[in-house]
Amino acid sequence: MFRWLENRGSFEIGAAESTTSSTTEEEMIWEMRHGWEDLYASEEYLAILTTAFYMYYTDKRHDTGGNPRELEPFEEWRMRDRLKTVSAALAICLNIGVDPPDVIKTNPCAKLEAWVDPSTHPGGPKAMETIGKNLQQQYETLSIRTRYRQYLDPSIEEIKKCCTSLRRNAKDERILFHYNGHGVPRPTLSGEIWVFNKNYTQYIPVSLYDLQGWLGSPCLYVFDCSDAGNIVNNFDRFIEKHLSEQEDIKAKDPNAQLLSFSDSIILAACHEKETLPTSPELPADLFTCCLTTPIEIALRFFVLQRPLTSKITIETVMRLPGRLQERRTPMGELNWIFTAITDTIAWNTLPRTLFKRLFRQDLMVAALFRNFILCQRVMRVHNCHPMSYPALPETHHHPLWQSWDMAVEMCLSQLPAMIEAQELRIPYEYQHSTFFTEQLTAFDVYLRSAPTKNKPPHQLPIVLQVLLSQVHRLRALVLLSKFLDLGQWAVNLALSIGIFPYVLKLLQSAAIELKPVMVFIWARILAIDPSVQTDLLKDNGYMYFMFILTPSNPIPIPNVSEHRAMCAFIMTMFCRNFHQGQVVSLNVSPGILDSCLAHITDTENPLLRQWACLCLSQLWIDFPEAKWMGIRESAHIHLCDLWRDPEPEVRCGMVYALTTFLGIPDLTDQVAAIEEILATRMLLMSGDGNIMVRKELLVFFSTFVKRYEHKFVVTAFESILEEKDMLLSPPRSDGSENQQHHSRRNSLEDLVDTSRAISASSIFQAIWKHLLILSADPYPEVSRNAGIIVDYVLTTLMESPLERLTEDAMKEIKSTHTITPIQITPNEITIPSAMNSPRTSLPPSPKKENYLSTGLKKTLSVATSLRKLAFGSGSSPEPSPTSFGKDHAKRDINYLRANGLHRDKLPGEWNQPPDQNDPLSSSGAYVGAKAPLSKNFKPRCMEEVPHIPLESTFLAWSMEYFREPQMRPNEADEPGSADYNHRLWRRTRNEKIITLTQPQKEEAGTGRWDVSAGSLNNGSQPTRTCFHQFEDHLAVADDRDTVCIWDWAKASRLSRFSNGNPSGSKINEIRFINEDDQALLLTGSSDGVIKIYRNYEYESKTVVLCAFRALTDLVRSNFNAGLRIDWQQGQGKLLVAGNVKVIKVWNAATEISVNEIPARSGSPTTSLTSDQVAGDVFVAGFGDGAIRVYDQRLRPQDAMVKVWKEHKQWISKVHMQRGGLRELLSGCRNGDVKMWDLRLDESINTIQATRDTLRTLSVHEHAPTFAVGTGKHRVTIFNTNGAPLSMLEPHASFLTLNSLRTTPISTTSFHPHRMMLACSSLNNYHINLFECPTANTNAKIISWDGDTTRPPLGSARRPGAPPLELRSGESRPSSIRSGIAGPIPGPIMPILGPPIIQQKRQGT
């Protein structure tokens, strides 16, 4: 930094016609201006400046405009058609001792049936009873509630009777039919199964067709027999036959009761032509044992498949201790792991709908299909391939079976020691499996590996099983919350797999450590599916969140305010469209009303304030009792205190809550008074800079208008009459009444005095005028919505009894609308029509005395009619006279005089802007451009009848916060992402530009600036130009309302669009903001409107990001300074001034005017500049030649700390450099350019830059140079010592060559870093670019081919370099590159990192 200051001494060049103050030239060379050199000598302060940059207007509210995104299709996760297997028929056909004719058994062979050896039981019947009893017990481990009936060696009659009886009793529930055909022939090719006759002398076939008819549907079939595939293959054929017969019956008798066959499930032991295993080491009913006793079969299978000998035998395995229901025992733990693995295998292999049907609809079906997955693995080893209907894919090769084998091996390795300890009766400490710990770790790895919707986690069913364990529960919930944070798809996935019963049950837990994660999980669930309200109501689950929300309950958890914000959201969704939820929330003690009112004052967490407001809103909707309680607690008064909240979302929530507060059915005087007070407070927010707040305000107004519709109809009617009177008989300039109007008024029947009109000085008149203003709002959606309300009122007016009078008044208005607007002398102030350009700064004009036509009968009292229409047929008190007794026009003149627009002591032209008399470009050749709209803007269909109240979208928009990832950084902050690579490239390019341009400043102070760098044909008259700091972008505003964006390096136009200015206004200011990253374009117009555009360089993608009326009381005059702004990137503040008495300070983060500093001048503000580093001091130039210095740190009344009055004419420009010596220069229209030091009372140098009119003054941000444009078509560049460097004459067309000396300069501007100047002249559409040639002028900057898969060339990180950091939010420190600094408290969101070379950021 200080190296450049030393070299600055070489710029001592004598300046012609310059004067210097008492401060020596040597001191000024070696010191930074204004005494700031000590500040920059502080390493700590410089470290703050170079830490981070801050971006504004990049939040979600700007990107969406408060419009919620379309919700993704929601997958129904609840099983609406949940079934139960209520009855089961166990048909066991063994005929012990007699082998069927088609079966040849080996010796030895499998004997066990239901783990019973028939040969050990003498007598067939006893063995059959034992087998049947065991089989029933095995099934009871799967479903204890099912009613089982055993049919041992049944006959066909028994089968028929059993099946029909079961279907009759089960009704629409499921039946289980288990068939063991080991003692009968195989099923036939047509699918018939075999039973016995009564004497057991014959095998009787049972047709599958008949069996289907007896059992009906829904039904679950289990066929344990050889050739079972024949049954499955024929099942569909017989179903189709049944359906065909049902259709015939329906055709004959529409009232006939029909059977259903739509839900049938089959489990078969093998394919056709396959024989069941007969190995003596396996049970004969291996298929049944797999389905009913899977752990025993799995252990036996594990031992049989081990290639190495071991002490663990089949007999030993069967001694494994524990019970299936006890998860802490070895047997229970294996069963737990088996359930998790089979569930996970099914989840990962089956379609979602099939998984839900088979594994979530019926507990019996789910258990059998989990065990069927084991069947596929076990039986295929023995050349049997089980079948199912619907068919399941092969799962025997799934990797999770390896995890199962490992878990079994870990368990069985301890079995000998456990048996020994059991025999010795000594305790043994069982080492539990690490399966669930490892799976949770795998799930954690998945969450860290950029999970996506197309790659769901395999471990999700296992995570749900882990929730059953207290040991792993907390970790599982934390990982589950991280998964749900991924977005809606993750919540849908978790709900569909069955998370909800687990988290619902955990609401009964009192564990403190679970509360934070439970609150987060439930917030995510309710954001996706609010229908769980009824589940929260059961067992008082909502009290879990009410306890945390209550401020008096101490919750020992970190970030308690954030969790209370989530609880407020949960209670909001609990009350939303759920009256029972509203009732219990209101009546609980302590109530939700008290809790929310306490939280709206929370200064730490804006999210909590926002959702406390929204929670109140949902409590009040259609619930008068809650509104009356709110009145008793003064809730509406407390909410109104949030109108200046620094967070726009909180202000929106407050307006939304008060909108729902309106509408108590019993409209008493007390209620009406309260609602009018609320409406009065809402009027204060009509000038809010946030578009969402204004949209919500219109929803409030529309609700208020609908509630008091007749009063607004009368107000609109009287407004039309006032407009008519103002057009027909305007007041004189001295405030006296027009005599013609006076005589006309006396000639009419003076039945009603408009000064005593019904709506005079009422809240209804004020709201109506604000609605008219908002209908001309610069933001498209706001103006559209306000137009709907206005049109609704006017439509209602035209349908009222006042229709004829309204039509007459409208005709008179239309007939006089072509008359030139009234001119008020001596300043020729245009008073616009109240209907076309309403204003809020001046008091409303009093109504004229008569608004009745001469043909009106004396017997008709319009006043009475209006009062009846507004207040009903009852009598009402006489409205008080208007509080504004003075004439409107007279007040206008007094107001203008107070602003110093009368300057009789000075020549008039001295106090006029240099471009006052510039003609507009020819309208014949001018081609208008398309005005960009807001994102997702939907134009209003004018054919539709306007309808109010408007529908708010704020709650739906706010809910999206809990659907979006919050735990992960933004993609732009993720190294390797496309956004990150773009940002990294931009940072490297920016640093390269700074590195290349800093040495050029030394040569710029002595070199020539007459080298042409190009010429751009703008196609219209340029009046304002602005260079981007780093992009090759030049923004150009013309003399109408069109903005062009040029790539000056390629001499190509990138985009062209209209700023949408109303007639008579133009663009006064144009700026780039957020230049360190993705810049936005800001425009300021002479009507006081600020607009911010995104994607300004792409004509088809340009959108209005933000638009608001920064000054609402600009007065149009011949001395109009329009709108003057200065943007402070580091502080995030916008200084705004013009033809007003104050200088407003708008905060970009809060989007409200945070300060109104009295200008202390009667002249308009013509220029603003500020210290871009600390941002506290700013300087303003005025039309009378005065320059004033203000300090924002002081009270507004004391903010003006210095005034200089050396200039005597209009200040064309005042500017303070961002870098260099921070020179402060001012230019006056008489040609004087002065340099100032904030510490001194006099200028330190005066340069007579021209003897002609000084039209423009531009100062380079870092180099010691400035340029002036004159009225004689000349641009002169000086250094700050006053030495002229170059004199330029911009491009002129052939037709204007002879009149160059009368063609003034219209605009000049320096590039912030490069030694480049843009200039243009009047009556010429070209923009001329000039540069000062230096040693490295032609150095190339890094370019990128756009490949987002790798960082751009030259963007490699330096060793030890800090991470990229860019920030978005309130005013904070930033880089010297943008000239910004100064920490201010506020929420911080990281965005871009420190510079590579700190000194180069400083620009010194």
Side-chain angles (χ1 to χ4, degrees), residues 448-657:
R448 297 173 185 270
S449 60
T452 61
K453 182 178 181 180
N454 298 326
K455 187 183 178 183
H458 298 312
Q459 301 83 11
L460 193 56
I462 298 177
V463 174
L464 299 187
Q465 287 291 326
V466 176
L467 294 179
L468 300 173
S469 170
Q470 292 184 355
V471 177
H472 306 291
R473 181 174 295 160
L474 180 58
R475 185 187 179 195
L477 285 173
V478 171
L479 293 177
L480 184 61
S481 65
K482 291 181 179 179
F483 176 69
L484 298 182
D485 185 62
L486 296 178
Q488 180 180 341
W489 68 269
V491 179
N492 283 337
L493 208 60
L495 289 175
S496 64
I497 204 173
I499 179 185
F500 187 73
Y502 294 84
V503 295
L504 182 62
K505 187 68 176 178
L506 287 175
L507 290 181
Q508 308 304 320
S509 173
I512 296 295
E513 65 273 9
L514 297 183
K515 289 186 181 298
V517 66
M518 285 294 295
V519 168
F520 185 89
I521 290 173
W522 270 93
R524 294 288 162 169
I525 293 175
L526 278 163
I528 300 301
D529 187 6
S531 67
V532 298
Q533 298 162 317
T534 55
D535 301 279
L536 282 178
L537 188 61
K538 297 175 183 177
D539 301 326
N540 296 328
Y542 66 94
M543 289 300 298
Y544 189 92
F545 309 104
M546 275 299 304
F547 179 81
I548 301 175
L549 185 61
T550 304
S552 59
N553 292 335
I555 309 296
I557 57 177
N559 303 323
V560 64
S561 62
E562 295 182 9
H563 291 89
R564 281 177 171 158
M566 287 186 277
C567 287
F569 165 73
I570 292 171
M571 295 307 299
T572 301
M573 303 309 296
F574 180 63
C575 295
R576 186 187 186 197
N577 301 326
F578 187 50
H579 184 66
Q580 291 175 295
Q582 292 174 308
V583 172
V584 297
S585 299
L586 182 66
N587 297 330
V588 70
S589 181
I592 193 174
L593 187 64
D594 296 332
S595 299
C596 290
L597 290 179
H599 289 314
I600 63 176
T601 59
D602 184 285
T603 58
E604 297 180 358
N605 195 327
L607 188 66
L608 177 57
R609 299 197 302 272
Q610 174 186 347
W611 282 104
C613 295
L614 292 176
C615 188
L616 290 175
S617 71
Q618 298 307 300
L619 181 67
W620 284 334
I621 291 180
D622 299 328
F623 194 19
E625 291 83 357
K627 295 180 182 180
W628 280 111
M629 183 172 288
I631 292 175
R632 289 191 291 271
E633 298 291 337
S634 300
H636 55 294
I637 302 299
H638 295 304
L639 285 172
C640 287
D641 294 337
L642 297 175
W643 78 281
R644 294 281 292 176
D645 192 277
E647 290 295 327
E649 290 84 353
V650 178
R651 302 198 297 273
C652 287
M654 178 268 287
V655 177
Y656 181 78

Side-chain angles (χ1 to χ4, degrees), residues 57 59-67 648-649 651-652 685-699 774 777-783 785 934-935 953-954 957 1090-1092 1104-1109 1146 1150-1152:
Y57 299 102
D59 296 324
K60 178 187 173 185
R61 63 175 179 264
H62 304 112
D63 183 47
T64 62
N67 298 313
E649 290 84 353
R651 302 198 297 273
C652 287
M685 304 183 69
S686 62
D688 199 291
N690 182 263
I691 55 176
M692 290 173 51
V693 174
R694 300 203 301 277
K695 285 170 61 177
E696 283 305 310
L697 184 64
L698 286 174
V699 177
L774 290 170
D777 193 89
Y779 194 73
E781 290 186 48
V782 176
S783 60
N785 293 351
S934 55
K935 187 177 181 180
T953 59
F954 179 67
W957 181 86
I1090 296 291
K1091 289 188 177 183
I1092 299 175
V1104 179
L1105 204 62
C1106 177
F1108 61 97
R1109 202 172 297 277
W1146 287 85
T1150 62
E1151 299 186 65
I1152 56 176

Side-chain angles (χ1 to χ4, degrees), residues 98-105 181-188 192 194 203 225-227 230 274-276:
V98 180
D99 293 335
D102 57 351
V103 175
I104 300 177
K105 293 184 178 181
H182 297 174
V184 294
R186 302 167 184 253
T188 64
E192 295 171 317
W194 300 88
Y203 297 111
C225 58
S226 300
D227 283 357
N230 289 332
E274 288 185 351
T275 303
L276 297 179

Side-chain angles (χ1 to χ4, degrees), residues 127-140:
M128 285 294 295
E129 291 177 4
T130 305
I131 292 172
K133 182 179 179 181
N134 277 14
L135 180 60
Q136 180 173 336
Q137 290 175 350
Q138 292 171 199
Y139 267 109
E140 285 175 348

